[in-house]
Amino acid sequence: MLEKMQKIGVLTSGGDAPGMNAAIRAVVRSCSFYNIECIGIYRGYQGLIEGEFEVLTARSVRNVINKGGTFLKSARSQEFRTKEGRAKAATHLKKEGVDALIVIGGDGTFTGAIYLEQEHGIPVVGIPGTIDNDINGTDYTIGYDTALNTVVDAIDKIRDTASSHDRLFLVEVMGRDAGDIALNAGVGAGAEEILIPEENMGVEKMMESLEKSRKSGKTSSIIVVAEGEKSGKNIFELADYIGQNLEGYDIRVSVLGHIQRGGAPSCYDRVLASKLGVGAVEALLRGENRVMVGITHKVVTTVDFETAISGTRPLDKELRRVLNITTV
């Protein structure tokens, strides 16, 4: 495989995550190290369909390791969901002479890569880039650590206001299907309660906890809510319910939103992205295909795409236990 590999393409797809640029940089520099031409593909799968290619060199990725977002940009592509769209994409890759493709993103990105390989025989390797940390086969995804630090910093600031005005704040964080950000940031910021999609705490149990806190003399509290948690139709409805059924709290809602995606990546995310970028190129050189490169117990490993995107990651029950103890 090493002798045949001459061109490798790289793209970012789905939601951006801090550290994607560091991953691209590692892919490009690894290609340079192994005397392989690297082709950058702009705007994800949509750019693949439209042939938005550019040769990337070590000079192309200078001063990007510290930048948030992705300089290759990302885009949702409805056309790539069709066989016709994927056929266009494959035609552009073959015309450019690209031997294999590295995709950086989450489960939707990997699903697209599976179809591209199945239908057109293009070798693909994935790098997990998503702040949700909801991919199997890796302990951490690129962007997760930075997002956690962003959320903890925001909650620390919100707590100052909550304490000053005797307020109860409901803070919504990202996580439609996974509560990793909510659970870890909530523990890290000392939240009184954490609501996550993986388990239904129940409104009544939360109300009992808040009532207990109020009777103990606590005049301000922080509840962290993952966006996919459905105790109410939305966080504002949940706030209204608490206000109607619990006296003694001045309630406010803060939705952190896309601030969690932005900003310079943490040192951990830069190092992780660098490891996985090198690992992705070397996986292709070993002849691996349709796999994701991940990190397990500090070791770079590979797992097939189907495993990576199957089901949900198990909840960190030990962390939930820690929360229950430290909020007594």
Side-chain angles (χ1 to χ4, degrees):
M1 192 70 170
L2 180 61
E3 292 77 12
K4 296 179 181 179
M5 192 73 65
Q6 296 180 345
K7 285 187 180 182
I8 292 177
V10 60
L11 62 80
T12 52
S13 177
D16 61 298
M20 279 185 164
N21 281 327
I24 298 167
R25 174 182 180 272
V27 169
V28 173
R29 288 178 174 267
S30 297
C31 285
S32 177
F33 180 82
Y34 287 109
N35 297 312
I36 300 168
E37 189 172 36
C38 187
I39 306 297
I41 300 155
Y42 286 87
R43 297 194 306 117
Y45 287 128
Q46 190 59 38
L48 195 58
I49 290 172
E50 297 175 10
E52 295 186 38
F53 297 172
E54 180 182 336
V55 176
L56 299 179
T57 66
R59 298 298 295 168
S60 305
V61 292
R62 67 187 186 278
N63 301 326
V64 303
I65 194 169
N66 61 319
K67 306 292 185 184
T70 163
F71 78 87
L72 285 180
K73 302 188 182 298
S74 184
R76 308 289 183 183
S77 178
Q78 290 299 321
E79 189 175 1
F80 191 79
R81 294 175 180 268
T82 67
K83 284 190 174 183
E84 294 76 12
R86 294 190 291 273
K88 288 181 184 178
T91 297
H92 282 298
L93 284 172
K94 292 173 182 177
K95 182 179 179 181
E96 186 66 31
V98 175
D99 299 304
L101 184 65
I102 293 174
V103 298
I104 307 171
D107 54 0
T109 301
F110 297 161
T111 299
I114 290 172
Y115 283 119
L116 188 64
E117 192 277 336
Q118 283 179 340
E119 295 169 2
H120 302 283
I122 297 168
V124 287
V125 167
I127 297 175
T130 167
I131 67 169
D132 291 337
N133 203 43
D134 59 350
I135 301 295
N136 292 308
T138 185
D139 292 340
Y140 300 104
T141 59
I142 295 169
Y144 172 63
D145 183 71
T146 305
L148 274 184
N149 286 308
T150 298
V151 171
V152 169
D153 182 64
I155 294 175
D156 286 347
K157 291 178 170 63
I158 289 170
R159 187 178 289 282
D160 290 343
T161 293
S163 299
S164 298
H165 295 273
D166 292 340
R167 286 174 177 163
L168 165 64
F169 266 88
L170 276 68
V171 182
E172 182 182 274
V173 302
M174 285 186 169
R176 284 195 308 270
D177 304 306
D180 282 57
I181 290 179
L183 183 55
N184 284 268
V187 170
E192 280 66 36
E193 292 294 345
I194 301 171
L195 306 181
I196 56 178
E198 290 89 339
E199 59 179 33
N200 182 15
M201 176 185 181
V203 175
E204 295 308 316
K205 184 178 178 182
M206 179 192 65
M207 297 293 286
E208 290 174 8
S209 176
L210 289 173
E211 177 65 19
K212 181 180 177 181
S213 295
R214 187 184 64 80
K215 288 181 177 179
S216 71
K218 183 174 287 189
T219 56
S220 65
S221 292
I222 301 288
I223 298 177
V224 177
V225 184
E227 62 179 325
E229 206 283 329
K230 298 301 181 186
S231 290
K233 291 181 180 179
N234 54 58
I235 194 170
F236 298 99
E237 183 180 275
L238 180 60
D240 288 341
Y241 179 86
I242 295 172
Q244 293 167 9
N245 293 276
L246 187 65
E247 296 180 355
Y249 280 115
D250 182 14
I251 303 171
R252 295 289 187 274
V253 171
S254 182
V255 178
L256 298 187
H258 285 78
I259 189 176
Q260 297 160 85
R261 289 195 185 278
S266 65
C267 179
Y268 182 86
D269 274 329
R270 298 181 199 191
V271 173
L272 176 63
S274 298
K275 287 181 177 180
L276 298 188
V278 172
V281 172
E282 292 182 340
L284 286 171
L285 294 180
R286 290 193 301 269
E288 294 192 57
N289 179 29
R290 216 162 88 176
V291 298
M292 179 198 76
V293 179
I295 193 88
T296 304
H297 304 305
K298 299 183 179 180
V299 177
V300 175
T301 58
T302 59
V303 62
D304 62 85
F305 278 144
E306 287 81 2
T307 298
I309 63 178
S310 63
T312 58
R313 289 166 57 90
L315 179 69
D316 188 339
K317 294 182 179 179
E318 175 62 17
L319 195 56
R320 171 56 87 177
R321 189 180 73 85
V322 167
L323 173 68
N324 292 337
I325 291 173
T326 56
T327 54
V328 172

